[in-house]
Short mmCIF file of all heavy atoms in Angstrom, two decimals:
data_model
loop_
_atom_site.label_atom_id
_atom_site.label_comp_id
_atom_site.label_asym_id
_atom_site.label_seq_id
_atom_site.Cartn_x
_atom_site.Cartn_y
_atom_site.Cartn_z
N GLY A 291 10.69 -33.60 14.57
CA GLY A 291 11.45 -34.83 14.77
C GLY A 291 11.26 -35.38 16.18
O GLY A 291 11.19 -36.58 16.39
N ALA A 292 11.15 -34.49 17.15
CA ALA A 292 11.07 -34.93 18.54
C ALA A 292 9.74 -35.55 18.86
O ALA A 292 9.65 -36.50 19.61
CB ALA A 292 11.32 -33.75 19.47
N THR A 293 8.69 -34.99 18.31
CA THR A 293 7.41 -35.31 18.91
C THR A 293 6.28 -35.62 17.95
O THR A 293 5.16 -35.76 18.36
CB THR A 293 6.97 -34.14 19.81
OG1 THR A 293 6.90 -32.95 19.02
CG2 THR A 293 7.93 -33.91 20.94
N ARG A 294 6.57 -35.76 16.68
CA ARG A 294 5.46 -36.06 15.79
C ARG A 294 5.68 -37.41 15.14
O ARG A 294 6.55 -37.58 14.29
CB ARG A 294 5.32 -34.99 14.70
CG ARG A 294 4.84 -33.66 15.23
CD ARG A 294 3.39 -33.71 15.69
NE ARG A 294 2.50 -33.58 14.57
CZ ARG A 294 1.87 -32.44 14.24
NH1 ARG A 294 2.04 -31.37 14.96
NH2 ARG A 294 1.08 -32.41 13.19
N GLY A 295 4.85 -38.38 15.56
CA GLY A 295 4.97 -39.72 15.02
C GLY A 295 4.82 -39.74 13.52
O GLY A 295 5.44 -40.53 12.82
N ASP A 296 4.02 -38.83 12.99
CA ASP A 296 3.69 -38.87 11.58
C ASP A 296 4.83 -38.45 10.66
O ASP A 296 4.83 -38.75 9.47
CB ASP A 296 2.44 -38.02 11.28
CG ASP A 296 2.41 -36.73 12.07
OD1 ASP A 296 3.16 -36.60 13.06
OD2 ASP A 296 1.63 -35.84 11.69
N ASP A 297 5.82 -37.74 11.17
CA ASP A 297 6.90 -37.29 10.29
C ASP A 297 8.11 -38.20 10.33
O ASP A 297 9.09 -37.95 9.66
CB ASP A 297 7.37 -35.89 10.71
CG ASP A 297 6.38 -34.84 10.31
OD1 ASP A 297 5.77 -35.00 9.24
OD2 ASP A 297 6.22 -33.87 11.06
N ARG A 298 8.06 -39.21 11.15
CA ARG A 298 9.29 -39.91 11.42
C ARG A 298 9.60 -41.02 10.44
O ARG A 298 10.68 -41.58 10.45
CB ARG A 298 9.29 -40.44 12.85
CG ARG A 298 9.31 -39.26 13.80
CD ARG A 298 9.04 -39.63 15.23
NE ARG A 298 9.45 -40.97 15.58
CZ ARG A 298 10.33 -41.25 16.53
NH1 ARG A 298 10.94 -40.30 17.16
NH2 ARG A 298 10.57 -42.49 16.85
N PHE A 299 8.63 -41.36 9.60
CA PHE A 299 8.83 -42.54 8.78
C PHE A 299 9.88 -42.34 7.71
O PHE A 299 10.77 -43.14 7.54
CB PHE A 299 7.51 -43.02 8.21
CG PHE A 299 6.55 -43.29 9.32
CD1 PHE A 299 5.41 -42.54 9.50
CD2 PHE A 299 6.86 -44.26 10.27
CE1 PHE A 299 4.56 -42.77 10.57
CE2 PHE A 299 6.02 -44.50 11.35
CZ PHE A 299 4.87 -43.75 11.50
N SER A 300 9.82 -41.26 7.01
CA SER A 300 10.86 -41.06 5.99
C SER A 300 11.13 -39.59 5.86
O SER A 300 10.33 -38.74 6.26
CB SER A 300 10.41 -41.62 4.65
OG SER A 300 9.64 -40.66 3.97
N GLU A 301 12.28 -39.31 5.28
CA GLU A 301 12.67 -37.93 5.07
C GLU A 301 11.65 -37.20 4.20
O GLU A 301 11.49 -36.01 4.27
CB GLU A 301 14.03 -37.89 4.38
CG GLU A 301 15.14 -37.35 5.23
CD GLU A 301 16.22 -36.79 4.35
OE1 GLU A 301 16.95 -37.59 3.73
OE2 GLU A 301 16.32 -35.55 4.28
N ALA A 302 10.99 -37.97 3.33
CA ALA A 302 10.08 -37.34 2.38
C ALA A 302 8.62 -37.41 2.84
O ALA A 302 7.72 -37.05 2.11
CB ALA A 302 10.23 -37.98 1.00
N ALA A 303 8.41 -37.85 4.09
CA ALA A 303 7.03 -38.05 4.55
C ALA A 303 6.20 -36.78 4.45
O ALA A 303 5.06 -36.80 3.99
CB ALA A 303 7.04 -38.54 6.00
N MET A 304 6.78 -35.67 4.87
CA MET A 304 6.06 -34.41 4.88
C MET A 304 5.64 -34.02 3.47
O MET A 304 4.52 -33.59 3.23
CB MET A 304 6.99 -33.35 5.46
CG MET A 304 6.38 -31.99 5.48
SD MET A 304 5.08 -31.89 6.69
CE MET A 304 5.20 -30.19 7.07
N GLU A 305 6.59 -34.19 2.56
CA GLU A 305 6.31 -33.80 1.18
C GLU A 305 5.13 -34.59 0.62
O GLU A 305 4.25 -34.05 -0.03
CB GLU A 305 7.56 -34.07 0.35
CG GLU A 305 7.54 -33.42 -1.00
CD GLU A 305 8.80 -33.75 -1.77
OE1 GLU A 305 9.88 -33.81 -1.15
OE2 GLU A 305 8.68 -33.96 -2.97
N ASP A 306 5.10 -35.90 0.91
CA ASP A 306 4.00 -36.73 0.42
C ASP A 306 2.67 -36.23 0.97
O ASP A 306 1.69 -36.13 0.24
CB ASP A 306 4.20 -38.18 0.85
CG ASP A 306 5.32 -38.84 0.05
OD1 ASP A 306 5.63 -38.31 -1.04
OD2 ASP A 306 5.87 -39.84 0.52
N ARG A 307 2.64 -35.91 2.24
CA ARG A 307 1.38 -35.48 2.81
C ARG A 307 0.97 -34.10 2.29
O ARG A 307 -0.20 -33.83 2.10
CB ARG A 307 1.45 -35.51 4.34
CG ARG A 307 1.21 -36.93 4.84
CD ARG A 307 1.14 -37.03 6.32
NE ARG A 307 2.42 -36.67 6.91
CZ ARG A 307 2.60 -35.60 7.64
NH1 ARG A 307 1.61 -34.78 7.85
NH2 ARG A 307 3.77 -35.34 8.14
N LYS A 308 1.96 -33.24 2.06
CA LYS A 308 1.63 -31.94 1.53
C LYS A 308 1.00 -32.03 0.16
O LYS A 308 0.07 -31.33 -0.16
CB LYS A 308 2.88 -31.05 1.46
CG LYS A 308 3.18 -30.37 2.77
CD LYS A 308 4.46 -29.59 2.68
CE LYS A 308 4.38 -28.55 1.61
NZ LYS A 308 3.51 -27.45 1.99
N ARG A 309 1.55 -32.91 -0.66
CA ARG A 309 0.98 -33.09 -2.00
C ARG A 309 -0.49 -33.43 -1.92
O ARG A 309 -1.28 -33.08 -2.78
CB ARG A 309 1.68 -34.24 -2.72
CG ARG A 309 2.96 -33.85 -3.40
CD ARG A 309 3.52 -35.10 -4.04
NE ARG A 309 4.95 -35.04 -4.18
CZ ARG A 309 5.55 -34.57 -5.27
NH1 ARG A 309 4.84 -34.14 -6.28
NH2 ARG A 309 6.85 -34.53 -5.33
N GLU A 310 -0.86 -34.20 -0.90
CA GLU A 310 -2.26 -34.61 -0.77
C GLU A 310 -3.15 -33.53 -0.18
O GLU A 310 -4.34 -33.73 -0.02
CB GLU A 310 -2.35 -35.82 0.16
CG GLU A 310 -1.85 -37.09 -0.47
CD GLU A 310 -1.64 -38.15 0.59
OE1 GLU A 310 -2.21 -38.02 1.68
OE2 GLU A 310 -0.90 -39.09 0.30
N GLY A 311 -2.58 -32.44 0.24
CA GLY A 311 -3.42 -31.36 0.73
C GLY A 311 -3.42 -31.19 2.23
O GLY A 311 -4.24 -30.49 2.79
N TYR A 312 -2.47 -31.85 2.88
CA TYR A 312 -2.29 -31.63 4.33
C TYR A 312 -1.97 -30.17 4.57
O TYR A 312 -1.46 -29.49 3.72
CB TYR A 312 -1.11 -32.51 4.77
CG TYR A 312 -0.72 -32.40 6.22
CD1 TYR A 312 -1.47 -33.01 7.20
CD2 TYR A 312 0.44 -31.71 6.58
CE1 TYR A 312 -1.08 -32.93 8.52
CE2 TYR A 312 0.83 -31.63 7.91
CZ TYR A 312 0.07 -32.23 8.87
OH TYR A 312 0.46 -32.15 10.17
N PHE A 313 -2.20 -29.67 5.75
CA PHE A 313 -1.98 -28.25 5.95
C PHE A 313 -0.51 -27.92 5.79
O PHE A 313 0.27 -28.11 6.58
CB PHE A 313 -2.34 -27.69 7.31
CG PHE A 313 -3.34 -28.36 8.20
CD1 PHE A 313 -3.79 -29.65 8.02
CD2 PHE A 313 -3.85 -27.64 9.25
CE1 PHE A 313 -4.74 -30.20 8.88
CE2 PHE A 313 -4.78 -28.19 10.10
CZ PHE A 313 -5.23 -29.46 9.93
#
Side-chain angles (χ1 to χ4, degrees):
Chain A
T293 58
R294 290 291 278 259
D296 40 343
D297 286 325
R298 294 168 29 121
F299 303 114
S300 85
E301 248 205 287
M304 178 71 151
E305 194 181 322
D306 287 340
R307 278 185 296 113
K308 276 176 60 72
R309 276 179 206 269
E310 287 166 19
Y312 178 76
F313 336 14

